[in-house]
Amino acid sequence: MTYSDSEVFCPKVKPLQKLRAPRLGFRNKHWMKSSTMEEVIIESLTDDSYRPIDRAGLAKKLRISKKKLPEFHQTVDDLISSGKVHEGKKGRLRLKASAGFVSGVVKKVSSGAAFVIPNERPADIPNPDIYISSRDIKDAQTGDEVLVRLTSKRRSGGQRCGVIEKVIERAGNVFVGTYLESQGQGFVRVDGTTFQSDIHVGDPGAKGAQPNDKVVIEMLRFPSATRMGEAVLTEVLGQRGAPGVDTMTVIHGLGLPHEFPEAVLEESRYQASVFDENDLKGRRDLTGETIVTIDPATARDFDDAISLTRDKRGHWQLGVHIADVAHFVTPGGALDREARERGTSVYLPRHVIPMLPEVISNGLASLQEGVVRYTKSVFIEFDASGKPQGGEVANSAIRVSRRFAYEQVMPIIEAPKKHQSEVSPEVLTLLQRMYELAMLLRKNRFAAGALTMGVPEIEIDFDDNGHVTGAHERHHDASHEIIEEFMLAANIAVAQILTARDIPFLRRVHGTPDELRLKGFQEFCNGLGYELKKFQSRREIQKLIHQAEGHPEERAINFALLRAMKQAEYSPEDFGHFALNEEDYCHFTSPIRRYPDLTVHRLIGELSDGRSPVSDSMSELLQLGKHCSKTERRAEKAERELIRIRLLRYFEDKVGMEMDAFITGVENFGMFCQGVEIPAEGLIHISSLTDDFYTFEQTTRTLTGQRTRQQFRLGDTIRVVVANVDVDRRQLDLRIADNGRRSKSKPKTSGASSHRKSKDGASAKMRPKGPTSNRKKAKDSVKFRKRRK
């Protein structure tokens, strides 16, 4: 999108020009009298020396006084709303591009050319991405934010072309790669496909590096079409493929903070020294109640526990008790600053990077069996039909009566007499009540329009050295659904309590999918023989998923729906949660591992004490929401990246091996496939389909042979051969086996099986009728596979 000068630039004001050098900000009285806040901000952003910074940095640079901060934030919001200023993905501010220029993010392709994805995507341009030829990229790299000058050239289909004028903001300048030497000089071949050539790092042997070592470099000069890149080698991680090196490669490559500063560790040790479990002043004493936890067998940080009673009316009183992390993490302290910066714990294969030091996450805050722990409790009353009647919150203290692993729960519920010697009568009654209420809540939730999808989750098996040995579908039964339903209920109840009091807070929002995407999903389903009459209706979508279950098209429909969904994010804005069909929703139940939950806990704590909570301003919450959404995505990317590396290492010595796979993506250049038994994803390039000339159909995501009419479409199962493996470039090349063409099948549009493999906002399949049926697992994590909600 382009903008006229009048939309972007404010008139120059002579007094501001004179005061540019001193930068005294609003603490200079002359500036206050002669200029408006908007003029001061615009003037700063138009300065030739300005480099994009976030609001806090700009306020500091302009020396905005504390008294003037609200006016400053409001003015920035107004400038963004009016289209004069753009707030980047890292919260950094810059003026919108003037006429003939577009700002956006670079995505390079293997040919050396690139596309720039505009920050503002105009609705009136079918293909708004801008093509940049290799000679016009300069030294921009994938992920960089750039300013593009549009040219008069057009590609086929009318796609715009441009020239990169400058890099506005680098995606990063720290990279990981493999060290090598040539002609007496050191070089690094950076992992992935970001750079097409090696990076020069000077004299050989820096930091003791040996050829084939994995190393960390900091870029000094990015490579371009006319010059070599230069960097300084900052750290040697170890020999390529050695135990632990792949993990550190991902940690450094994504800039994950993994070691706690001494000040943070010191504060956590101090909290441990002053904690007195016998001091229950100001807390509701629940230490005599029957309370249980249900977690994975390998879990060490237990942050949720459940109590449940039923009165003579048949009403349920559910208690959800969450570790009171806020008690140990003081706002603004070293612990808080570090937790905020990390945003979330990162769960990698065989390695966890916690948001908080283990003395807090696995000790003081963890709800361990038989010990007193501080909690934030939510009490929700449900009538006999499972409809909520109201809720309250409290600062509390509990003593967990019994800790269970998920695998232990359903055998006890299904055969109570057989296991009566293993649990007390009180605990047995509690488990049975929990199952009864959870299944009732689950039934009501889906009846109300909650959306589910059936994409199974695969768990990879590793040996003691971290090498892949196999994979299996992740265990999931009704015990997971019990906890999932109670966590969802608590998150909804807390959000409703805060909303009713007009308290700003970080919500977990999942926006309504774009109408064009849903329309495309409808057309895709129609092409498969499935009718979707109202593509914006959750019930219609769920009905379609139900019809497809057990048929060849099931996987294709679920993958296509995932692509149509938006990602969930953190924001104070009241956008609702599309997949859960809830107007008010937040994350409250995992403060040990998620910073947004911790911010909600602080508000709940003040409410419980009878005080009026003091929340951050809307603009501050917007920034925090963006940051937490970003750290969440970074954590997910790290997990995917390390799993991909491990899977590629598994296939390194298996070139030529045949395996069954299913198609996860279809593009005009080929199709992506994922192994059935070992879930590695690779590309079958269209150039390898030599038996026919294949055309790509966008609507149905299908490749069709012109002569044979052979089709390959999303979700199809085919037989493939491992053609090439490149771990460092993260590439797995596949080709279709000689007998790998799928057999054609006629779509079935009616008849629903009694069981649904589906996935909702909490990563769970829908409940079959009986407790012994297999179900898909989740806890309170509201997400989709591949695209988190």
Side-chain angles (χ1 to χ4, degrees):
M1 180 179 289
T2 59
Y3 302 86
S4 67
D5 291 341
S6 61
E7 289 177 302
V8 179
F9 300 109
C10 285
K12 300 295 183 181
V13 181
K14 290 184 178 180
L16 289 178
Q17 297 281 1
K18 294 177 181 179
L19 289 170
R20 177 180 292 176
R23 286 289 177 220
L24 297 178
F26 266 108
R27 291 180 183 172
N28 179 282
K29 293 182 179 180
H30 175 67
W31 200 344
M32 289 178 66
K33 291 178 180 179
S34 63
S35 310
T36 66
M37 179 71 78
E38 179 174 326
E39 289 172 335
V40 172
I41 293 172
I42 291 292
E43 179 68 14
S44 179
L45 269 58
T46 56
D47 194 309
D48 292 338
S49 64
Y50 176 76
R51 293 293 178 268
I53 53 179
D54 60 17
R55 294 175 185 235
L58 183 60
K60 183 177 180 180
K61 179 180 179 181
L62 296 177
R63 301 179 64 189
I64 303 296
S65 66
K66 188 174 182 180
K67 183 179 179 181
K68 286 285 185 179
L69 271 177
E71 181 186 352
F72 169 81
H73 286 297
Q74 184 60 53
T75 304
V76 172
D77 289 339
D78 292 343
L79 288 169
I80 293 170
S81 299
S82 67
K84 294 179 181 179
V85 171
H86 172 71
E87 193 169 34
K89 58 184 179 181
K90 296 182 180 180
R92 295 174 181 173
L93 304 170
R94 63 184 60 85
L95 287 177
K96 286 287 184 69
S98 56
F101 290 84
V102 175
S103 62
V105 178
V106 176
K107 184 177 182 180
K108 296 181 75 172
V109 294
S110 57
S111 66
F115 295 90
V116 171
I117 304 167
N119 291 324
E120 303 290 338
R121 298 175 71 82
D124 58 338
I125 299 179
N127 187 1
D129 295 350
I130 303 161
Y131 175 78
I132 313 292
S133 70
S134 57
R135 65 180 178 274
D136 296 326
I137 291 177
K138 295 188 176 178
D139 64 352
Q141 308 298 329
T142 295
D144 290 349
E145 188 165 6
V146 298
L147 183 68
V148 175
R149 174 171 53 82
L150 297 175
T151 66
S152 59
K153 295 180 181 178
R154 291 289 187 272
R155 299 184 80 208
S156 59
Q159 185 175 33
R160 299 178 297 174
C161 299
V163 176
I164 291 178
E165 288 294 312
K166 69 174 181 177
V167 175
I168 299 173
E169 184 178 342
R170 292 287 185 186
N173 67 337
V174 175
F175 300 91
V176 176
T178 304
Y179 178 76
L180 52 95
E181 295 178 357
S182 177
Q183 298 180 347
Q185 294 293 305
F187 295 88
V188 171
R189 186 161 297 159
V190 175
D191 289 355
T193 57
T194 300
F195 301 110
Q196 302 300 314
S197 58
D198 300 332
I199 307 299
H200 181 235
V201 292
D203 294 335
K207 297 284 184 178
Q210 298 295 318
N212 215 35
D213 277 350
K214 281 293 180 183
V215 298
V216 182
I217 62 172
E218 186 170 343
M219 200 68 69
L220 299 176
R221 187 174 70 179
F222 282 81
S224 68
T226 58
R227 71 182 185 194
M228 176 182 292
E230 294 183 18
V232 58
L233 195 155
T234 60
E235 187 172 350
V236 178
L237 302 179
Q239 275 285 300
R240 178 184 179 277
V245 171
D246 288 340
T247 299
M248 295 308 296
T249 293
V250 172
I251 288 173
H252 284 275
L254 291 175
L256 296 172
H258 61 289
E259 294 182 355
F260 288 104
E262 182 56 35
V264 174
L265 297 174
E266 182 60 31
E267 186 174 332
S268 63
R269 288 191 288 264
Y270 170 77
Q271 290 292 341
S273 69
V274 299
F275 176 62
D276 181 4
E277 66 178 30
N278 297 314
D279 181 9
L280 303 185
K281 184 179 179 180
R283 294 185 176 273
R284 187 178 300 186
D285 187 353
L286 304 175
T287 56
E289 301 290 325
T290 302
I291 297 176
V292 299
T293 62
I294 304 177
D295 291 280
T298 57
R300 291 189 297 166
D301 53 344
F302 312 116
D303 52 13
D304 57 86
I306 302 296
S307 64
L308 180 63
T309 59
R310 198 171 191 184
D311 61 24
K312 295 179 180 179
R313 300 171 298 165
H315 284 212
W316 308 85
Q317 285 75 40
L318 171 67
V320 179
H321 315 284
I322 307 299
D324 191 357
V325 176
H327 175 81
F328 305 103
V329 183
T330 305
L335 269 172
D336 181 56
R337 292 193 302 272
E338 185 69 17
R340 183 186 181 109
E341 176 63 26
R342 295 182 178 222
T344 181
S345 295
V346 182
Y347 294 89
L348 303 174
R350 302 173 56 83
H351 186 84
V352 177
I353 305 174
M355 185 180 77
L356 296 166
E358 290 190 357
V359 68
I360 302 289
S361 60
N362 296 350
L364 299 178
S366 186
L367 307 183
Q368 299 163 353
E369 181 179 331
V371 297
V372 176
R373 286 291 182 259
Y374 290 172
T375 49
K376 293 282 192 288
S377 295
V378 184
F379 300 95
I380 312 168
E381 181 180 351
F382 297 94
D383 66 16
S385 65
K387 295 180 180 178
Q389 302 299 299
E392 62 170 330
V393 293
N395 292 316
S396 57
I398 68 169
R399 180 187 285 112
V400 172
S401 308
R402 179 70 184 269
R403 177 212 165 187
F404 289 100
Y406 282 115
E407 294 81 0
Q408 297 175 290
V409 174
M410 290 314 298
I412 295 174
I413 292 175
E414 293 167 353
K417 291 184 179 180
K418 180 179 178 181
H419 298 277
Q420 61 184 1
S421 63
E422 302 173 17
V423 295
S424 68
E426 294 80 9
V427 170
L428 176 59
T429 300
L430 173 59
L431 291 177
Q432 291 172 326
R433 285 174 174 167
M434 288 169 61
Y435 176 75
E436 183 179 356
L437 177 60
M439 298 304 105
L440 183 60
L441 297 181
R442 194 170 185 80
K443 177 183 175 182
N444 291 346
R445 189 161 63 84
F446 292 133
L451 190 60
T452 64
M453 285 182 285
V455 180
E457 291 189 49
I458 303 299
E459 195 167 68
I460 300 172
D461 303 321
F462 300 97
D463 62 18
D464 292 339
N465 295 320
H467 300 140
V468 174
T469 59
H472 63 275
E473 187 169 334
R474 194 167 286 176
H475 170 265
H476 190 89
D477 63 17
S479 63
H480 297 83
E481 296 175 357
I482 291 171
I483 297 302
E484 172 199 326
E485 292 302 324
F486 293 162
M487 297 303 108
L488 288 172
N491 288 337
I492 293 167
V494 167
Q496 290 174 342
I497 288 171
L498 294 174
T499 299
R501 290 163 174 76
D502 293 324
I503 300 170
F505 64 99
L506 271 188
R507 299 169 180 267
R508 181 67 168 176
V509 299
H510 182 229
T512 301
D514 180 75
E515 185 172 331
L516 288 177
R517 283 182 174 270
L518 284 179
K519 183 69 175 175
F521 172 68
Q522 180 188 47
E523 293 173 353
F524 173 80
C525 294
N526 290 343
L528 298 182
Y530 287 79
E531 185 179 11
L532 180 61
K533 295 180 179 178
K534 300 178 181 178
F535 60 81
Q536 290 181 317
S537 167
R538 296 179 187 83
R539 287 187 174 88
E540 287 290 322
I541 293 173
Q542 191 60 65
K543 180 181 177 182
L544 184 144
I545 293 173
H546 189 91
Q547 289 177 344
E549 207 236 317
H551 299 310
E553 297 76 26
E554 178 186 13
R555 200 191 304 266
I557 288 174
N558 277 284
F559 275 119
L561 181 56
L562 279 172
R563 290 171 178 269
M565 293 290 107
K566 289 182 178 179
Q567 285 186 307
E569 59 187 0
Y570 295 107
S571 172
E573 296 178 296
D574 187 6
F575 293 145
H577 200 293
F578 177 80
L580 293 178
N581 193 25
E582 291 291 342
E583 293 182 5
D584 301 305
Y585 190 74
C586 70
H587 276 170
F588 164 78
T589 53
S590 295
I592 288 178
R593 62 183 177 89
R594 291 190 306 230
Y595 192 79
D597 302 52
L598 177 55
T599 66
V600 172
H601 269 233
R602 287 170 175 157
L603 299 175
I604 290 300
E606 293 184 29
L607 275 180
S608 301
D609 286 340
R611 301 193 303 269
S612 297
V614 179
S615 180
D616 291 337
S617 69
M618 184 62 74
S619 60
E620 290 171 327
L621 286 173
L622 280 168
Q623 284 302 111
L624 180 59
K626 289 180 181 179
H627 170 72
C628 291
S629 298
K630 174 191 167 188
T631 56
E632 176 189 46
R633 310 243 193 285
R634 182 178 65 181
E636 292 171 348
K637 183 177 181 180
E639 181 184 12
R640 290 194 305 268
E641 182 81 352
L642 185 54
I643 288 175
R644 182 163 183 79
I645 292 173
R646 297 279 174 83
L647 289 172
L648 288 171
R649 292 214 183 280
Y650 174 83
F651 281 105
E652 261 189 315
D653 59 355
K654 295 176 176 59
V655 173
M657 183 186 81
E658 289 192 10
M659 64 178 182
D660 290 324
F662 57 89
I663 299 173
T664 58
V666 181
E667 303 293 343
N668 59 359
F669 54 82
M671 48 194 173
F672 294 95
C673 301
Q674 179 177 304
V676 173
E677 294 185 0
I678 303 295
E681 188 173 69
L683 173 68
I684 299 177
H685 197 273
I686 197 167
S687 62
S688 70
L689 303 177
T690 57
D691 64 329
D692 204 342
F693 182 82
Y694 287 83
T695 57
F696 174 62
E697 173 56 46
Q698 174 76 27
T699 303
T700 58
R701 313 299 298 183
T702 302
L703 286 174
T704 303
Q706 289 190 353
R707 178 178 56 81
T708 63
R709 307 309 298 169
Q710 172 69 50
Q711 287 189 334
F712 297 101
R713 68 188 181 197
L714 200 67
D716 282 350
T717 300
I718 58 177
R719 188 78 174 168
V720 300
V721 177
V722 178
N724 182 61
V725 180
D726 191 327
V727 178
D728 292 335
R729 291 178 64 84
R730 313 289 190 260
Q731 290 179 338
L732 174 63
D733 296 325
L734 305 171
R735 62 177 175 82
I736 296 178
D738 293 337
N739 59 343
R741 299 322 195 255
R742 78 174 186 90
S743 59
K744 294 185 178 180
S745 59
K746 198 171 183 178
K748 300 178 181 179
T749 58
S750 62
S753 61
S754 60
H755 294 250
R756 275 195 275 179
K757 292 182 180 179
S758 54
K759 190 171 189 178
D760 66 0
S763 305
K765 296 179 183 178
M766 286 201 63
R767 179 180 66 86
K769 292 182 179 179
T772 60
S773 302
N774 290 330
R775 299 169 178 86
K776 197 172 179 308
K777 82 172 180 179
K779 203 169 181 181
D780 64 327
S781 171
V782 182
K783 67 178 182 178
F784 285 131
R785 184 72 169 166
K786 302 281 186 186
R787 186 180 292 273
R788 275 188 79 163
K789 292 193 316 231

